[in-house]
């Protein structure tokens, strides 16, 4: 009898998918920058300002040859833990060093995890209505990796900050399925009272498993198909605040803390779509 076909190990599947997402499946390894191994087998490029082969490829695909400002001159800061206890929900905070004004503002942000199967976790399209381009969310981090934010200003400048995060298993951790009937419920919260004509913090959460396609069903022992929030469009009183284009590198029940500038009473509103073309809405009256 012919020997049974053995399934591919999951770590090889993750590597193949990451190569596909990066568009480098046919590239020779010699074209990627080399990274030396440190004592103990870990890579040596673990500093906040260090690059990786994955980032070099992503940079070329997303930004081409445009210069990117890093270090002390950068207008954006990323805060993330060096070690995260749970790779499926790593907290990150983006702090902008620039106030949102019509003359100069953060127009776009890219949030990336170099070594994830889908490295581009989020692209945010912003307007001056954000007031202050600070964001907080939680990420899935599949293995030790740099997490990066690239901020694009309205004048075309690119600014970057990064942190090396030590954790693993974020893309294979099974999500909670205790309340599937709540999938799509979109909730706004204000941590404090609104401040008219000034940046006011708010949270938006979408109840959703954000399946990656790498999680195993404990009953069927089959991979759970990917199913995740694709877009979130947030507005206030009919004026766009930000649009988010997301992937499964955002954790289960995607949550974003952001700012908006209320110029009077109005309604915070979110329009949400997921990878199965389902659409959801949520709103909160303010003032």
């Amino acid at each position: 009898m012919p020997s049974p076909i053995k399934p591919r190990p999951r770590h090889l599947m993750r590597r193949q998918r990451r190569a596909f997402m990066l568009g480098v499946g046919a590239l020779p390894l010699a074209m990627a920058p080399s990274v030396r191994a440190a004592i103990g087998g870990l890579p040596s490029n673990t500093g906040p300002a260090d690059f990786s082969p994955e980032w070099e490829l992503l940079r070329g695909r997303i930004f081409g040859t445009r210069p990117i400002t890093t270090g002390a001159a950068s207008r954006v800061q990323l805060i993330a833990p060096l070690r995260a206890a749970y790779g499926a929900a790593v907290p990150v905070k983006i702090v902008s060093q620039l106030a949102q004004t019509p003359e100069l503002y953060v127009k776009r942000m890219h949030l990336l995890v170099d070594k994830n199967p889908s490295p581009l976790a989020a692209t945010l399209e912003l307007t001056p209505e954000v007031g202050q381009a600070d964001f907080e969310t939680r990420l899935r981090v599949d293995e030790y990796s740099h997490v990066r934010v690239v901020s694009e200003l309205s004048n075309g400048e690119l600014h970057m900050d990064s942190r090396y995060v030590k954790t693993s298993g974020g893309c294979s951790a099974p999500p909670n399925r205790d309340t599937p009937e709540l999938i799509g419920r979109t909730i706004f919260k204000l941590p404090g009272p609104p401040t008219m004509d000034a940046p006011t913090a708010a949270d938006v959460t979408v109840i959703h498993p954000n399946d990656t396609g790498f999680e195993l069903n404990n009953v069927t022992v089959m991979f759970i198909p990917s199913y995740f929030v694709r877009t979130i469009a947030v507005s206030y009183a009919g004026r766009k605040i930000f649009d988010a284009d997301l992937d499964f590198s955002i954790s289960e029940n995607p949550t974003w803390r952001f700012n908006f500038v209320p110029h009077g009473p109005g309604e915070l509103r979110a329009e949400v779509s997921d990878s199965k073309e389902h659409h959801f809405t949520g709103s909160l009256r303010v003032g």
Side-chain angles (χ1 to χ4, degrees):
M1 294 179 61
S3 59
I5 298 175
K6 296 182 180 180
R8 288 176 297 169
R10 280 195 293 164
H11 72 280
L12 291 180
M13 294 177 66
R14 285 198 294 266
R15 289 178 183 173
Q16 289 172 354
R17 174 141 186 181
R18 181 164 63 240
F20 175 78
M21 295 297 296
L22 291 171
V24 299
L27 290 179
L29 292 177
M31 293 184 65
S34 61
V35 176
R36 293 178 298 172
I39 296 175
L42 293 178
S44 58
N45 63 326
T46 59
D50 287 342
F51 287 5
S52 70
E54 294 84 1
W55 162 243
E56 293 291 351
L57 292 164
L58 282 167
R59 173 178 177 164
R61 288 178 61 84
I62 300 173
F63 306 106
T65 58
R66 298 169 63 187
I68 301 177
T69 301
T70 60
S74 178
R75 306 294 291 271
V76 67
Q77 179 186 8
L78 181 70
I79 300 172
L82 174 61
R83 294 185 182 272
Y86 187 43
V90 178
V92 295
K93 182 176 182 179
I94 302 168
V95 179
S96 178
Q97 310 294 340
L98 177 72
Q100 297 285 93
T101 65
E103 294 75 28
L104 184 63
Y105 63 93
V106 179
K107 177 181 178 182
R108 186 176 294 112
M109 283 182 170
H110 301 270
L111 186 58
L112 306 103
V113 185
D114 285 8
K115 294 190 175 183
N116 266 14
S118 180
L120 182 56
T123 298
L124 307 176
E125 300 280 348
L126 315 181
T127 72
E129 296 297 320
V130 170
Q132 180 66 32
D134 297 347
F135 289 86
E136 296 180 52
T137 191
R138 297 187 303 270
L139 294 174
R140 295 181 183 271
V141 177
D142 202 44
E143 58 181 290
Y144 286 25
S145 175
H146 280 91
V147 176
R148 305 179 190 274
V149 61
V150 179
S151 179
E152 181 177 351
L153 307 188
S154 57
N155 64 2
E157 292 180 6
L158 296 175
H159 297 257
M160 184 182 79
D161 194 22
S162 65
R163 290 294 181 271
Y164 193 76
V165 176
K166 298 180 179 181
T167 192
S168 62
C171 292
S172 57
N176 181 1
R177 282 185 165 73
D178 291 340
T179 54
E181 70 278 3
L182 296 181
I183 288 177
R185 184 178 177 187
T186 302
I187 306 162
F188 280 105
K189 292 182 180 179
L190 297 184
T195 304
M196 294 299 162
D197 301 313
T200 296
D203 298 339
V204 61
T205 299
V206 182
I207 306 299
H208 205 285
N210 255 34
D211 293 319
T212 66
F214 298 101
E215 307 127 324
L216 278 177
N217 184 309
N218 293 329
V219 176
T220 65
V221 199
M222 300 287 288
F223 286 106
I224 301 169
S226 63
Y227 177 39
F228 52 93
V229 172
R230 269 291 188 197
T231 63
I232 304 176
V234 178
S235 62
Y236 180 72
R239 303 175 70 172
K240 172 182 169 180
I241 300 173
F242 72 91
D243 291 344
D245 186 6
L246 311 175
D247 214 319
F248 58 68
S249 288
I250 302 297
S251 71
E252 173 189 2
N253 300 330
T255 297
W256 291 87
R257 173 162 289 186
F258 62 94
N259 292 301
F260 72 106
V261 180
H263 300 292
E267 181 185 65
L268 268 174
R269 185 172 181 82
E271 304 281 347
V272 181
S273 67
D274 67 19
S275 58
K276 292 185 179 180
E277 301 300 328
H278 297 149
H279 299 276
F280 317 103
T281 62
S283 62
L284 176 69
R285 190 70 187 175
V286 178

